[in-house]
Amino acid sequence: MKSLKKAIALLMCLALVLSLAACGGNSGSSTSSSESSGSTESSENSESSGEESSEATEGETATGEFKLPIVDEPVELSYFVSASTNAAIVTTDYNDNEFYQEMERRTGVHLNFEMVSSADYQTNFNLMIASGTLPDLICYGASYYAEGVDAAIDDGYFMDLTDKVDEYMPNYQKIRKSDKNYELLSTTDSGRLGAVYELRQTKQGPWLGLWIRQDWLDDLGLETPETYDQWHDILKAFKDEKGATAPLILNFSGSDGEFGMMSAGLGVLNGWQLNAEGKVTYGPYNDAWKEYVTTMRQWYAEGLIDPDFMSTDERTADMATVVTGKTGAIPAVYTMPSLYESSSEDKNMNWAPINPPVKNAGDELHIRLRDSYTSGNTAISADCENWEVAMKWLDYLFTEEGALLANYGVEGDTFTFEGDKPVYTEKITNNENGWNLAQTMDSYLCPSAGVANWSDWTRELGGVPEKDQTCYTVWTTNAKDDWRVPTISLTQEESTERAALYADMSTCVKENTAKFISGALDIEENWDSYIAELEQHGVQRAIEITQAAYDRYLAR
């Protein structure tokens, strides 16, 4: 099976490379067959306490039942990993990163990194699989193998860790079994363990959502809007009284599928979701999507929506539009508002988090960005000769001491304790190189695109003003994620079939949504033909496939 898969994958990758070359080498993002939506902004830290220093690893030491170093003689492991966009600014080799240097001193294991850009990760991952020559460790392996983790094991690429974890990774196993969510996300439908997952010490709530110009609301004496009608009036005031030329910025060409944005209050988003009966459905295939585009069409005609929204294909707003005061409501990752405010000449600019509008005051939202318990994983190659060492090396990162190193570094150097809480030193918070917090953390600590560990995403909050951190309360107040499909696994056949269907479905939705909102297509005259096109692309079969995977998830 493995040799056949190699041949097929190689042909596909060669075709992809030729296609990219013909297009001038442009690269784009990719998604895996799983329904994961972990935070790309998340980092890791630890709430645990303990003594930490380089000297602690001179000779063999014990961390509870964990002995260091983990080998008698130095061992080398190879690691295929995505380069952090932050750390990439200051290094092209993670061996320059102080966290990995300290890990080598403590464990006796040296990593030889094969670093590829996050933008080209899927292409390079496919080429690696096609070559048949796999490194010992593979970052995000469980997320990028298109046919799923079970298939990666059966095809001979990933090591089946199921019968090995208890013996070689007891710390990871203890944490993994401490929460049902950890177990579900780290176990395949067949009950196997095909990768080691980053597990967060506390779940992370929604890190992406809507923001509104609170200073404008205050200046105009307006209350925070809640319903669609109130939002309409607020946006009109922004346009008429504040001169906003793009009062509301829609992301993803108006077809947001991450947190629902302006469609969430109607119980629909561009993607797989659950309905009120708990059954899988495809949002843009429902009547609620028609209601959404109808409302947005009215707002667009009144000049309340960014006239260039059709070219906005990102999750966040255009920087220039925001800082020059052309907009009053935007989608943004929670780390961005402080950057907008500091970059604007308007020193009164004040962005505040806000929930999407609802139909009636008091209505509960069922769609928002899903709570996340992980944002990465590390697979071990089936060909790894030193797999016992690899597993022990990873397990160290799930001890209190190892987690502290990953998330805070070395005591006295990058952090000190205030009581039992680790706090960064100025080496991190006021770095001499002039790096921002994200760059510094990914250069001295475990990078956000690094390796599976027992993480605490809250370490990144040190660079976020307290007023912006309130988004975690605002975006979860009267708002649930219970209509979001959890992380499910598709079989190899399901993944291949649904991917082919979804490619045409998503294109249809994106193009028609933009045309409906802009008025290029009349909604009443063209809605039925739009639905018919989705059916022609196999939307009903795609729903059946996703429902089957969701049923298996519930049965785990």
Side-chain angles (χ1 to χ4, degrees), residues 276-353:
E277 290 72 42
K279 296 296 183 181
V280 171
T281 184
Y282 183 57
Y285 186 54
N286 294 288
D287 289 340
W289 195 254
K290 181 180 181 181
E291 186 175 1
Y292 162 65
V293 295
T294 299
T295 301
M296 293 301 102
R297 168 58 194 150
Q298 176 192 340
W299 290 10
Y300 181 84
E302 295 182 37
L304 306 184
I305 293 175
D306 178 14
D308 297 322
F309 84 93
M310 289 172 287
S311 61
T312 303
D313 206 23
E314 304 292 339
R315 64 161 55 102
T316 54
D318 173 67
M319 172 71 81
T321 302
V322 176
V323 301
T324 55
K326 296 178 181 178
T327 183
I330 60 172
V333 173
Y334 80 105
T335 55
M336 291 300 295
S338 61
L339 178 60
Y340 294 143
E341 292 164 1
S342 64
S343 302
S344 176
E345 293 183 0
D346 183 356
K347 299 309 176 184
N348 294 317
M349 179 178 285
N350 178 19
W351 289 100

Side-chain angles (χ1 to χ4, degrees), residues 226-285:
E226 182 179 358
T227 67
Y228 281 95
D229 288 341
Q230 292 169 348
W231 267 82
H232 171 273
D233 294 343
I234 291 292
L235 294 175
K236 190 173 188 303
F238 286 175
K239 174 177 178 287
D240 295 341
E241 304 297 329
K242 290 297 181 180
T245 56
L248 170 67
I249 291 183
L250 291 178
N251 58 346
F252 295 114
S253 303
S255 56
D256 173 71
E258 289 197 299
F259 70 100
M261 198 175 175
M262 303 308 288
S263 67
L266 301 173
V268 67
L269 84 162
N270 178 18
W272 307 109
Q273 65 173 89
L274 304 176
N275 59 23
E277 290 72 42
K279 296 296 183 181
V280 171
T281 184
Y282 183 57
Y285 186 54

